[in-house]
Amino acid sequence: MSQAVMIGIAGGTGSGKTTLARTLKKSFEDDVTLLCMDWYYRSFHHLSFDERKGLNFDHPDAFDTPFFIEQMKCLKNMQAIHHPVYSFIEHRRLEECILEEPRHVVIVEGILLYENPEVRDLLDIKIYVDTDADIRFARRLTRDIHERGRDIDSVVTQYLKTVKPMHEAFVEPTKRYADIIVPQGGMNEVATDMIVEKIKSILRRNDAAQ
């Protein structure tokens, strides 16, 4: 049985990796599956909202990595999954799940994607989005205020307390595992076009094999 080709897109918060992943997904629509590591934050239902707000969401332990790996393996083996839904406003996993059908190309996106060896081994192509820290912080500030209901003080405090040190400890060092380094992520049209062509060749090869 043929396996899906899994393309990883990693990089720091606000680097542009999500924009790149969404651009690629939009380019191929139903021919490509998009899987986001952010969906797999652990569920902290036993904690109050204020307690959940204080958690370190940028540490590897914040993720339900075994479940993430299990569902990656399913998609790799062309099996459907029901992936979780996570609320960044409530800081918890919701009850609903979303059906994701298998495709021959799976784009997997997340800040800590290359931190775990088992996750790395499931990826056929590894892309790292490299963007200056000041640009990443500005993007995160804008996103958290407009999309996640945060205020400036809380975003700045979290960035200095956990985001920046966790990036330096767990994200930046994984750049060495990348096959391709893309400056500015989805804003880099040249790199995006090259990746699109690579995915097209994978899909053509699969069609020819059928």
Side-chain angles (χ1 to χ4, degrees):
M1 182 181 66
S2 63
Q3 290 189 321
V5 173
M6 307 198 91
I7 302 174
I9 302 178
T13 180
S15 61
K17 65 187 180 306
T18 302
T19 300
L20 175 58
R22 288 175 178 171
T23 298
L24 296 174
K25 170 64 177 173
K26 187 176 181 180
S27 298
F28 295 96
E29 296 296 344
D30 291 339
D31 290 330
V32 167
T33 294
L34 176 60
L35 189 70
C36 297
M37 194 175 186
D38 279 358
W39 299 337
Y40 294 84
Y41 275 109
R42 290 169 55 197
S43 190
F44 298 97
H45 292 286
H46 61 289
L47 299 179
S48 69
F49 176 71
D50 287 337
E51 288 174 323
R52 293 198 299 270
K53 283 198 304 182
L55 294 171
N56 182 353
F57 292 101
D58 294 273
H59 190 280
D61 290 346
F63 293 91
D64 188 350
T65 305
F67 183 39
F68 179 54
I69 291 171
E70 176 187 326
Q71 297 217 311
M72 282 184 68
K73 288 179 177 178
C74 287
L75 290 175
K76 181 86 171 177
N77 292 312
M78 303 299 293
Q79 299 169 2
I81 64 169
H82 287 85
H83 73 69
V85 178
Y86 187 85
S87 169
F88 289 95
I89 295 176
E90 299 178 42
H91 301 294
R92 68 179 183 91
R93 188 182 296 177
L94 303 181
E95 296 298 326
E96 63 182 290
C97 292
I98 295 178
L99 173 66
E100 198 68 62
E101 297 287 355
R103 299 288 184 268
H104 288 287
V105 174
V106 181
I107 297 168
V108 190
E109 177 259 324
I111 58 172
L112 292 171
L113 206 55
Y114 306 150
E115 187 273 335
N116 183 284
E118 194 170 356
V119 173
R120 291 199 304 269
D121 288 345
L122 289 168
L123 298 167
D124 301 284
I125 301 171
K126 293 182 285 295
I127 300 167
Y128 185 94
V129 178
D130 197 17
T131 304
D132 290 343
D134 54 348
I135 296 175
R136 290 191 291 103
F137 171 70
R139 289 175 177 171
R140 183 183 178 104
L141 182 67
T142 302
R143 180 201 66 191
D144 283 4
I145 290 174
H146 293 291
E147 297 180 18
R148 300 182 180 177
R150 305 279 300 283
D151 59 67
I152 293 176
D153 288 344
S154 70
V155 177
V156 172
T157 298
Q158 184 185 39
Y159 183 83
L160 295 176
K161 184 179 179 181
T162 61
V163 178
K164 185 175 184 291
M166 294 301 100
H167 175 85
E168 293 170 350
F170 296 110
V171 182
E172 186 73 20
T174 66
K175 187 192 302 186
R176 68 181 185 273
Y177 298 117
D179 302 303
I180 305 167
I181 295 178
V182 177
Q184 304 301 322
M187 305 301 291
N188 189 326
E189 293 184 6
V190 174
T192 300
D193 289 345
M194 292 174 65
I195 298 168
V196 165
E197 289 304 315
K198 176 62 177 177
I199 294 175
K200 285 181 180 178
S201 71
I202 294 170
L203 293 173
R204 284 196 298 267
R205 186 169 66 242
N206 178 72
D207 289 341
Q210 291 182 339

